[in-house]
Amino acid sequence: MEETETRVFLSSEQHQEEEEPLLPRSMVISLYLGYFLARWGARTWEFSVALYMIYLWPNSLFLTAMYGAVESGSTAIFGPIVGQMIDGMSYVKVLRLWLVTQNLSFIVAGGSVIALLLVPDLKSQNFPVFSALVVLTNLSGAIGVLSTLAGTILIERDWVVVMSEGHSPDVLTRMNSVIRGIDLSSKLLSPVITGLIISFVSLEASAVTFAAWATITVWIEYWLFISVYNGVPAILQSDERRSLRLSSQTDIASQYYVPLLNDENTQSRSGNMRILERISESPFVGAWRNYLNQDIVLPGVALALLFFTVLSFGTLMTATLEWKGIPTYIIGIGRGMSAGVGLTATVVYPLLLSRLSPLRTGLWSFWSQWTCLLVCVGSIWVQKEKVASYMLMAGVAASRLGLWMFDLAVIQQMQDLVPESDRCVVGGVQNSLQAALDLMANLLGIIVSNPKDFWILTLISFATVSLAGVLYTVHLYRIRKHLFHLEKIPLLNNFFIRNHSTN
């Protein structure tokens, strides 16, 4: 009997191994390491640029908000197109485009910042040159962020899903958590190190370090990612499926358009109708139509609304804290602590997911974040400036646990519900929508550019976050037809039992 059980056990194990393809550990580590190097550079620039801009134009958030507007605007406009470009290219081409463009752009941005910092009085001495360098910084930074978007879509929305196919759902959850942990670790450590360099060496030294990092790491990143591409059969197979899909789409398009061009009715159409048709058939509109047809529209919009806020350690809040006299290294440490709290989300999220669905995990995560942000709203009425600043930082930092768990929950819903052929396009539109709302936040920063009026931005941000919570809650109710399992709460459970027995 024991032998029979052993044979059955071994055969079931062998069957499971046949069903579940081996995921090489070295390839997973290479993916994580390459992603870490890429995210470190992006997170360093994200933190540093606010400090550079407030230094170049003191007592105003104008330059900081202007950079944010350019960066967000470019992502909002070109995000869907980037998603479609990725979907229409081989993985190797995407890798080259992403890494070369990102790092080259950051090198140019770092060089222009160094030139601005080396001549402190350039604005008064030669304003045209000053303006040209600021424009160059804005454009190169925006291009760098756009190319970073390509990498984010490729790794987070595509490769992670492809690598986890054929495995248990826990593998995807774990990989999502590690990827988010890598991003948050970069957000945690890079501001601290950059803040120390700025505080104890100089702003110029931080810009030189940033440019040098981009120059060196591009080669390492490419080698790591190309190793993953060649070493994971699932990625190669996905690339082949992508090529076949693209060739079939090209054949269908050619069969459709040739008779259309010869159609007399088409030739007689008015110019306005042709323009409308071209717009409706454009990649931008097609990408948005694809996105709006997905089941995850409301969670996606709710996540995007969280970008219409200054209640984060972004450029506007960082510049405001600097203006209020909070030391740079303290801001860096605060941002690092915020990322550290967010990092715990990557540990707590899988634990919650073992008991709840991604949909309900998102609900609890969101409203825990909202509760923490009440501290930020309360800081508006605190008279002591330093105390109010530290309350603001504490509220934002505490809210990151709920925020990043909500982010993971929405991303996993997208990965589960969006078809493979639409992943990159939907990812591009999602990032575009997020950037559009981030752009609106930066435009508000341009309108309300006096740091003294930061409380106005705080209230508007809190209202937008509340709207996002309502949308997500409505989505959950629409799917589940209820919000809470009240009968699972012990006290209420006794009430339901008594009520049922009475009836």
Side-chain angles (χ1 to χ4, degrees), residues 50-51 54-55 57-61 64 315-328 331 385-386 389 449-455:
L51 302 177
I54 197 70
Y55 175 83
W57 202 308
N59 301 319
S60 175
L61 297 176
T64 306
T315 53
L316 291 174
M317 182 170 149
T318 301
T320 300
L321 292 170
E322 177 83 6
W323 175 84
K324 288 183 176 182
I326 306 297
T328 304
I331 299 173
E385 198 73 51
K386 288 286 175 70
S389 296
S449 60
N450 192 332
K452 289 181 181 178
D453 298 326
F454 190 77
W455 64 273

Side-chain angles (χ1 to χ4, degrees), residues 35 39 151-161 176 179-180 183 407 411 415:
Y35 192 70
R39 293 308 297 162
T152 301
I153 294 171
L154 179 69
I155 302 300
E156 292 187 12
R157 305 297 171 92
D158 200 329
W159 278 20
V160 168
V161 182
N176 279 334
I179 285 288
R180 183 60 64 231
D183 183 36
D407 174 81
I411 285 177
Q415 290 170 334

